[in-house]
Amino acid sequence: MTHAVGGRLLQRAVLALLALLAAVLALQVTTATAAPQTQTYIGADDGPTPDIYRSDIADYFKPDGSPAAMVGQAGTLNLALDGEPVVAYCVDVDAGLSTTPVTSDVTEVPLTTVDARAKLYILLNATPSGAPTADKQHRAAVAQVAMWVLEGELRETDPTSDAALNADVAALIATARAWAATPGTLSLTVAPPAAGATTATVTVTGRPGSVVALTITAGQGTLSAGQLTVGAGGSATATLTSPAPGTVTVGASTTGDGQLFRISPSNASQATNYARPTVLTATAPVTFAPAQVTPGPGPGPGVTPSVPVTGRPAGPIALRISKTAPTTRRVLQLVRYRITIRNTTRRAATGVVLRDRIPRGLTFVRASRKVQIRGGAVVVRLGRLAPGARRTVTIWMRASAGVKGARTNVATVRGTNVRPRSARAGTTFRPLAGRVIPAVTG
């Protein structure tokens, strides 16, 4: 990264001109969801949040094998967006970082590729912080060069002239891509126990290696483990014990992929990436029924019962429903709600309908299935769900500019022979920042 910070930065005029032209083009194609924010550099070596970097790497090589025309260190960048500190990495080898406050468009990067999720892994799991040490400086340089490789700014094989650094970069990219190969998901099921049973099996499914926290959110019960690690097969189990008949609800949570953002300054300053963590949650209720009473001996031969014996009709079944949403969002940005419905019983569910209430201040944008808007809710008709079947519905909404604070979205599933079940997800909305006219440096 070519910082323009203190005596350790050298900005070449030709690079500044190229970066300025790129910035002008970027402003012309900025999407409607980009949020303007004021970017301020806060990573001074003698400040409370110093950058962690190495500055002894001689050469960097672009994908075509030519040397990159840049100087300076590779490592973290400490910035503030509208006063909120973030740790970022450069994604542009041909521009320096301006220390003058500048207006930047902050846009969320879609997680549609493995490499996009791999960058999230590096930002959230391989980024050192705190006081710089030699080990941290090396790890920060490894992470920065890996980000450049994943961005396509540097070649993947021997991106620098430092062989040891290149080996560590290759190892980090391999680890990040292995983690990112499977998008982060979480589902929770509790097998219905037999009448009179006091235990039930709780199963969580998700990304192998992820750590899932379990809790009792309603009813009385104990869990054999408060934390599970998802195995290589994508699942893990615990035992739920209930002291008495009744319904117990189990909750699960784990870290999600996170949210990846691109910061695009309006002047010649370099573009950067930063990330925010996300949390996935799910709940599942289970009913412990009392033991059935064994009837006594029937009437003797030739004796007709005084009351006709009839079969007991089967009661409604309980589907499993889970819902995820981002924990924070800026107004006017798309909010994605993912709802999963599973039939874990041995009976088919019929006439299944999902109703997702639209929170106050939000409007429906689109969905992954055909929907109807009725009574302030998104209605999806799912029809018949066979035993073991699962349906996932993704709904996008957008908060109006005047929305402030938290909004909770509640989804409810019903059916002809289905007991209503609900899941909820909350998102806190932040206002747009006012655009300011920056003092352009260079």
Side-chain angles (χ1 to χ4, degrees):
M1 96 190 67
T2 56
H3 289 239
V5 180
R8 54 186 171 85
L9 302 169
L10 177 60
Q11 183 67 294
R12 299 184 180 184
V14 63
L15 296 182
L17 178 59
L18 290 173
L20 180 58
L21 291 174
V24 171
L25 291 174
L27 286 174
Q28 293 176 348
V29 299
T30 299
T31 65
T33 58
Q37 299 183 56
T38 300
Q39 170 186 310
T40 306
Y41 175 70
I42 58 174
D45 287 347
D46 56 353
T49 55
D51 294 341
I52 303 175
Y53 62 91
R54 279 180 56 182
S55 58
D56 58 344
I57 304 167
D59 296 299
Y60 303 88
F61 300 99
K62 293 185 175 183
D64 63 1
S66 63
M70 64 178 185
V71 294
Q73 70 272 11
T76 64
L77 288 170
N78 281 268
L79 307 172
L81 296 174
D82 287 350
E84 178 184 351
V86 298
V87 179
Y89 285 111
C90 169
V91 291
D92 182 0
V93 298
D94 288 331
L97 180 71
S98 171
T99 58
T100 302
V102 59
T103 297
S104 297
D105 280 323
V106 180
T107 308
E108 184 170 4
V109 179
L111 303 181
T112 55
T113 65
V114 170
D115 280 0
R117 294 192 294 272
K119 290 199 287 184
L120 271 175
Y121 175 87
I122 293 172
L123 279 158
L124 296 175
N125 300 281
T127 300
S129 60
T133 64
D135 176 66
K136 289 181 181 180
Q137 289 169 336
H138 177 72
R139 289 190 286 119
V142 169
Q144 171 63 94
V145 175
M147 293 287 286
W148 276 325
V149 170
L150 293 171
E151 187 72 16
E153 291 288 305
L154 297 181
R155 67 187 185 189
E156 188 155 341
T157 302
D158 297 331
T160 79
S161 56
D162 188 318
L165 176 65
N166 293 341
D168 289 342
V169 169
L172 177 58
I173 290 176
T175 299
R177 283 175 172 164
W179 177 89
T182 305
T185 58
L186 176 65
S187 64
L188 174 67
T189 59
V190 184
T198 59
T199 61
T201 299
V202 179
T203 302
V204 297
T205 57
R207 175 188 282 130
S210 60
V211 178
V212 179
L214 294 178
T215 57
I216 303 295
T217 62
Q220 294 184 343
T222 57
L223 292 160
S224 61
Q227 182 174 288
L228 297 176
T229 300
V230 178
S235 65
T237 60
T239 299
L240 169 65
T241 303
S242 177
T247 299
V248 181
T249 302
V250 181
S253 63
T254 189
T255 55
D257 286 332
Q259 292 175 282
L260 180 63
F261 296 90
R262 183 182 181 92
I263 308 172
S264 301
S266 59
N267 68 356
S269 184
Q270 63 191 209
T272 55
N273 276 160
Y274 80 97
R276 283 200 184 107
T278 55
V279 177
L280 303 177
T281 61
T283 60
V286 61
T287 299
F288 290 86
Q292 295 180 345
V293 178
T294 303
V303 178
T304 302
S306 58
V307 180
V309 178
T310 60
R312 184 177 181 180
I317 64 177
L319 301 178
R320 303 289 184 258
I321 180 171
S322 62
K323 184 168 190 173
T324 61
T327 56
T328 60
R329 222 12 159 228
R330 284 193 176 272
V331 297
L332 302 183
Q333 290 184 325
L334 287 179
V335 184
R336 183 182 67 180
Y337 299 96
R338 180 174 293 169
I339 307 163
T340 300
I341 300 166
R342 297 185 64 184
N343 184 359
T344 59
T345 72
R346 297 181 180 180
R347 297 164 52 200
T350 58
V352 178
V353 176
L354 171 66
R355 180 182 174 88
D356 190 42
R357 180 171 58 82
I358 302 175
R360 177 172 52 86
L362 272 69
T363 56
F364 169 78
V365 178
R366 65 178 186 271
S368 60
R369 291 175 176 267
K370 183 178 179 180
V371 304
Q372 295 175 312
I373 306 300
R374 291 185 176 179
V378 181
V379 179
V380 187
R381 301 188 181 279
L382 300 175
R384 182 179 184 273
L385 264 69
R390 177 172 65 181
R391 299 287 187 272
T392 298
V393 179
T394 304
I395 298 173
W396 287 267
M397 299 186 190
R398 177 176 284 123
S400 63
V403 171
K404 295 180 180 180
R407 292 292 188 272
T408 300
N409 181 279
V410 180
T412 302
V413 62
R414 303 174 185 271
T416 304
N417 60 337
V418 175
R419 183 181 297 116
R421 284 286 183 265
S422 298
R424 63 185 59 218
T427 300
T428 300
F429 291 94
R430 299 189 304 161
L432 287 174
R435 181 179 288 273
V436 300
I437 304 301
V440 179
T441 63

